[in-house]
Amino acid sequence: MMYWKPTLLSIAGLAITASPILVQAKIYVSIEQAQQLLFPNQGLVKRPIIISKALQERMRQASSIRYPFTGERIWKTSDGSWLIIDEVVGKHEMITYAVGIAPNGSVKGLEILEYVESYGYEVADSKWRQQFIGKTASDPVKLNQDIQNISGATLSSKHLTDGVKRVLVLHELALKSSVSK
Amino acid sequence: MIRCKPMLGTYVEIQIDEAQVGLTSRQTHLAIDEAFASIALVQSLMGFHDRHSELSMINSYRADESLEIHPWTEKVLKTAQFICQESRGLFDCGVGRQLVNKKLLPLHQINHVPSNESSILSIQFLGNQIIRLTQAVCLDLGGIAKGFAVDEAVRALKLCGIQNGVVNAGGDLRVFGRQSHTVLLRSPRQANELIQIGSLREGAIATSSNHTIFHPQKGSTPIQGSYSIIAQECIYADALTKVLALSQDAHHPIFKNYQAESLWLPA
């Protein structure tokens, strides 16, 4: 049985006096959880690579993402699959995501790890992120409890599509041919 | 446990309560995978951007041609047609061409049906998932399929034994189970502000902003603001936001038919 209890007296045209809440970071899954989700019960070995200038340029052309990719968070499975973690920065947000790539080079799966809305905040500033850690039930917004139930503007996932393109280029040019050990 | 994937042109979040009775975390994850798979199927059937979707096939057919479609596509088309009739044409998925002209949707090599002739009402249902077009159409199901996808995701979770959860596809969200959930709304005035609008149990809410809504006959967009509908199922919540935005009437009689509540926040 549906039950809806409005907080606002919803009269069309009502001026809102409710106190606004600032949008925050959302953490979905950890790196370890993403590894389990994309490659359940498979051993992953960390295989970071140094991204050459030429490779960085090829990735930029394919995806039109300007800022550099860091080759730090890359793992390989024994059957030749790869897991790559990358970040894309949109107009107002930063998204950390994991891509699983099967041995044949196709995308096996995609999982979002974290979504941070910036709106002019310095998202790289860990202090700003720190303030959301340790929130309790008595706080006006309970991180990952209230915050996910947002009904409103649709968020575009275009930046992420570009991000996946560059990860696939990375796999094609630098990972596929790497000698498995 | 909360997971998120990019789907339906937005970010889809599925959250379920860790304390599910008698399920391992592996079973919980498999249930969420099933729910994401349902959404992926809706996307592959009804996506406008995908030139190989069933929707694109329908859009490429000519008048008097018939084709067989998936039962899910049939359900969405039937619901869309019904709401079109009940709203006296205010909600008409035939606006695909207008959205292409506004560069909101990609142009495919399809019958270039004039936008004023394309209507969901041109579809005849012959039974057994067979439809016939009385006129060529250019349909966009963007105003209803997302809500349907949320409903199917919830159905998949329940079939896997999940009793409480939330599925949120970029603002089209449905909550199920015994818990009440606080619902926040993105402020139409300040994109970085959220407003707490109420608490919901066993129901759905969808919100539309004005800039992707077109009047099927006039081609105009409603005045700026945020238009929300609360209903039992997300497919109705999703579709009825357009009726609210286009009628500018928070007490439109159609809302009663679906026991829906409306909420309109002008910008």
Side-chain angles (χ1 to χ4, degrees):
Chain A
M1 190 60 206
M2 183 173 102
Y3 174 75
W4 167 247
K5 183 165 161 255
T7 321
L8 302 167
L9 286 168
S10 56
I11 304 157
L14 175 91
I16 305 294
T17 51
S19 56
I21 303 157
L22 283 179
V23 180
Q24 311 170 342
K26 289 195 215 178
I27 295 156
Y28 297 108
V29 293
S30 64
I31 290 179
E32 293 72 26
Q33 282 174 311
Q35 289 173 336
Q36 266 303 309
L37 288 167
L38 292 165
F39 297 104
N41 308 323
Q42 285 192 56
L44 285 159
V45 181
K46 195 159 188 184
R47 293 282 298 274
I49 63 164
I50 307 280
I51 310 285
S52 67
K53 265 209 169 115
L55 177 56
Q56 200 69 265
E57 181 56 23
R58 293 285 295 274
M59 289 169 77
R60 192 185 68 76
Q61 283 170 349
S63 66
S64 64
I65 296 179
R66 298 204 150 277
Y67 49 89
F69 174 85
T70 52
E72 194 49 38
R73 292 171 298 179
I74 299 175
W75 291 263
K76 192 181 184 182
T77 68
S78 53
D79 72 348
S81 302
W82 293 86
L83 186 142
I84 297 138
I85 292 181
D86 186 20
E87 272 165 12
V88 284
V89 180
K91 201 166 146 194
H92 302 296
E93 72 281 325
M94 184 169 77
I95 298 137
T96 309
Y97 64 102
V99 186
I101 299 181
N104 67 0
S106 64
V107 174
K108 183 177 184 285
L110 217 155
E111 201 74 31
I112 309 285
L113 278 68
E114 195 176 343
Y115 189 106
V116 182
E117 293 197 20
S118 57
Y119 292 107
Y121 288 98
E122 189 51 66
V123 286
D125 180 359
S126 63
K127 268 206 191 114
W128 180 73
R129 286 206 215 177
Q130 290 286 319
Q131 68 177 310
F132 306 120
I133 296 167
K135 288 247 176 210
T136 67
S138 60
D139 288 301
V141 175
K142 302 187 287 290
L143 189 63
N144 275 355
Q145 279 189 46
D146 284 351
I147 203 79
Q148 79 283 354
N149 303 318
I150 302 172
S151 187
T154 305
L155 304 158
S156 160
S157 52
K158 183 196 171 301
H159 295 292
L160 195 66
T161 313
D162 292 338
V164 174
K165 271 187 208 152
R166 85 172 179 177
V167 167
L168 287 171
V169 167
L170 169 83
H171 176 267
E172 181 66 29
L173 299 177
L175 302 180
K176 203 169 73 175
S177 54
S178 74
V179 186
S180 36
K181 277 280 180 299
Chain B
M1 178 82 225
I2 176 164
R3 284 173 62 191
C4 174
K5 282 182 189 281
M7 287 179 158
L8 307 167
T10 183
Y11 293 94
V12 179
E13 295 171 349
I14 297 182
Q15 191 195 17
I16 51 187
D17 189 358
E18 304 286 331
Q20 290 290 334
V21 191
L23 288 180
T24 64
S25 73
R26 183 90 196 101
Q27 286 170 309
T28 307
H29 275 306
L30 287 173
I32 299 181
D33 285 338
E34 286 291 323
F36 278 129
S38 291
I39 294 171
L41 177 57
V42 173
Q43 183 174 278
S44 70
L45 292 169
M46 302 174 222
F48 191 98
H49 293 77
D50 177 358
R51 60 186 61 214
H52 304 292
S53 68
E54 268 191 359
L55 177 71
S56 292
M57 201 160 73
I58 294 167
N59 285 342
S60 71
Y61 271 54
R62 293 170 196 282
D64 299 316
E65 288 191 307
S66 314
L67 73 155
E68 189 179 350
I69 52 173
H70 190 281
W72 286 11
T73 313
E74 184 185 52
K75 176 171 179 181
V76 170
L77 291 174
K78 268 189 176 165
T79 307
Q81 190 179 80
F82 202 69
I83 294 177
C84 181
Q85 288 159 340
E86 285 183 304
S87 67
R88 303 205 172 149
L90 270 184
F91 177 77
D92 192 331
C93 294
V95 294
R97 190 71 202 154
Q98 293 174 47
L99 295 165
V100 170
N101 294 346
K102 303 261 185 204
K103 304 258 189 300
L104 288 163
L105 287 175
L107 179 62
H108 297 315
Q109 294 309 314
I110 52 175
N111 279 344
H112 299 307
V113 49
S115 55
N116 56 358
E117 285 174 20
S118 165
S119 171
I120 188 88
L121 301 175
S122 305
I123 294 186
Q124 284 184 321
F125 297 95
L126 307 177
N128 299 327
Q129 288 98 51
I130 306 224
I131 58 166
R132 178 175 165 274
L133 301 180
T134 55
Q135 264 194 318
V137 291
C138 182
L139 303 177
D140 166 47
L141 296 175
I144 187 166
K146 207 157 40 135
F148 174 76
V150 169
D151 289 334
E152 285 305 324
V154 169
R155 186 197 308 272
L157 291 171
K158 286 180 173 173
L159 282 171
C160 293
I162 305 293
Q163 291 150 348
N164 303 289
V166 184
V167 177
N168 181 0
D172 284 21
L173 70 94
R174 183 163 158 185
V175 304
F176 66 101
R178 280 191 309 239
Q179 297 156 313
S180 290
H181 292 264
T182 305
V183 178
L184 303 165
L185 193 62
R186 202 173 287 274
S187 163
R189 294 173 197 172
Q190 277 293 134
N192 63 338
E193 287 183 353
L194 301 173
I195 301 159
Q196 191 173 316
I197 54 166
S199 118
L200 179 65
R201 189 174 65 215
E202 282 292 2
I205 177 167
T207 301
S208 291
S209 58
N210 70 307
H211 52 264
T212 51
I213 303 175
F214 287 92
H215 197 292
Q217 291 83 37
K218 301 177 197 157
S220 56
T221 50
I223 55 171
Q224 279 223 326
S226 142
Y227 301 89
S228 301
I229 297 285
I230 297 104
Q232 290 186 344
E233 290 180 30
C234 207
I235 186 172
Y236 302 120
D238 193 8
L240 294 176
T241 55
K242 286 77 194 177
V243 178
L244 174 63
L246 291 165
S247 68
Q248 303 276 305
D249 177 5
H251 305 284
H252 193 289
I254 196 171
F255 303 145
K256 271 219 170 65
N257 302 353
Y258 294 95
Q259 290 154 18
E261 306 270 347
S262 67
L263 185 75
W264 173 17
L265 306 184

